[in-house]
Amino acid sequence: GTAGFASPSAKNTPGWVDDFFKLVDNDAYCQSHNDCFDILIFHSYWTINNMNSDTNYYKSLMSDYGMNKDLWVTETATSCFVADKESGKPVVVYDEAEHARSLIKLLTVAFYNDVEKFFWFTLVGIQPAEPTVFTGWCTSLVVEPFKGSGDYHIREAYNSTAVLANKVDYFTSVTRITDTQYKFSVNGKNVYVLWCDAGSCDLPSEIRGRVKVTDYLGNEEIKNANQIILTNSPIFVEEI
C-alpha cells in the first residue's frame, strides 16, 4: 500500500478546525504537497443526527477550501444512556439488542455520508462494579469480566458489525431512498438496509418477488417481498 498523512483528530469544534484549515491553506509547502495531509479524521458519537451534522460540516469545510480528502471516523459509538427524568443527569440504560441494531443504523448513515473507514470505541470494555455512563464498558463490543473473574462476553453488537461488513464491504455506491432506507451496490448487486423508526413504512417499490432477508444477527430467510414488515430492527434485503 501507499503511506499517507492524516489530519489532527478532532470533534466538531469549528474554531479549532477552521484554524487548522486556514494554516494549511496559507502554507506554501502544504499547497505544493497535497495540503500536507491525505485523510481527514474526526470523532462522531451517539446519534444519526450527530453523524449527519458532523460529516456535513467537514465536507462543507473541505469544499470551502477546495479540498477533497477521504473521511475516517476514528472514534464512534452509539449511546447507552438516557437523561434521568428528575435530575436530568445521564444514567445507564443498557440494551444489548438495541446496541447492536443502532450500530448498523449509525454506520449505514456514515457510509452514505462518504465515511470511508470507522473505528469503534471501544472493542473491549471492563465490566465495572457499578455501570457508569462514561466508561468503555458502555459502548464496548466485548466485555471483560470484573476483576478478571468469569468469561469474556461477546455482545450482539460485535456480531452485528460482522453482519454489516459481510453484507456491504467493498460497496461501490450507496443511495438513500428515505432516512431509514439505503441501497448499496456490492459486486454488481443491490443490498438494501432497511428499518422503520416509527409507525409503518412501505418497502421500496423496486423490491419485488422472492428475496433474501437477513436480520441484524445474520439470520437469513427467503420470503416474498410483500411479506416483509419493517420495524426498528434493521434488515438486509438482497435479490436472489
Side-chain angles (χ1 to χ4, degrees):
T2 302
F5 293 94
S7 68
S9 181
K11 299 194 74 171
N12 194 352
T13 50
W16 185 93
V17 179
D18 281 341
D19 287 344
F20 169 71
F21 272 71
K22 289 174 183 176
L23 179 65
V24 169
D25 192 54
N26 291 323
D27 187 277
Y29 178 85
C30 287
Q31 286 305 296
S32 61
H33 291 79
N34 194 35
D35 305 312
C36 287
F37 72 103
D38 306 292
I39 302 165
L40 179 60
I41 62 177
F42 63 98
H43 302 169
S44 184
Y45 275 96
W46 311 138
T47 67
I48 286 175
N49 285 342
N50 287 350
M51 183 64 71
N52 280 325
S53 176
D54 292 343
T55 51
N56 286 337
Y57 167 71
Y58 287 111
K59 288 194 293 184
S60 176
L61 189 62
M62 286 195 293
S63 177
D64 290 344
Y65 284 91
M67 298 179 186
N68 183 24
K69 308 294 182 181
D70 291 339
L71 292 175
W72 289 17
V73 178
T74 50
E75 284 189 24
T76 190
T78 53
S79 174
C80 59
F81 55 86
V82 297
D84 181 77
K85 291 182 179 179
E86 294 184 2
S87 68
K89 295 181 179 180
V91 294
V92 173
V93 180
Y94 183 75
D95 182 320
E96 185 164 344
E98 183 58 26
H99 184 188
R101 293 190 292 256
S102 297
L103 181 151
I104 289 177
K105 296 176 186 179
L106 182 69
L107 298 184
T108 294
V109 171
F111 292 143
Y112 168 73
N113 280 307
D114 300 319
V115 170
E116 184 177 285
K117 297 184 186 296
F118 72 90
F119 299 79
W120 195 262
F121 182 84
T122 180
L123 175 60
V124 179
I126 299 175
Q127 173 71 58
E130 292 292 334
T132 57
V133 171
F134 301 107
T135 65
W137 170 86
C138 199
T139 61
S140 61
L141 304 184
V142 179
V143 179
E144 181 179 344
F146 178 59
K147 292 186 177 180
S149 62
D151 296 325
Y152 282 76
H153 172 60
I154 297 176
R155 286 175 161 168
E156 289 186 358
Y158 181 96
N159 296 318
S160 70
T161 306
V163 174
L164 178 66
N166 177 262
K167 292 298 183 182
V168 305
D169 203 7
Y170 300 107
F171 69 89
T172 53
S173 67
V174 54
T175 303
R176 182 174 64 185
I177 301 171
T178 71
D179 287 344
T180 60
Q181 300 183 354
Y182 297 81
K183 179 171 67 174
F184 289 80
S185 178
V186 184
N187 296 323
K189 295 184 179 181
N190 293 327
V191 178
Y192 297 84
V193 185
L194 312 171
W195 67 91
C196 182
D197 283 332
S200 61
C201 302
D202 294 329
L203 204 67
S205 59
E206 61 201 73
I207 300 178
R208 302 185 184 93
R210 291 180 66 76
V211 294
K212 180 165 70 174
V213 179
T214 307
D215 69 13
Y216 72 99
L217 291 179
N219 301 305
E220 298 179 346
E221 61 179 321
I222 305 298
K223 58 171 54 177
N224 290 320
N226 59 13
Q227 296 177 305
I228 298 174
I229 299 175
L230 299 178
T231 68
N232 71 336
S233 185
I235 58 172
F236 301 86
V237 177
E238 302 168 74
E239 304 155 342
I240 57 173

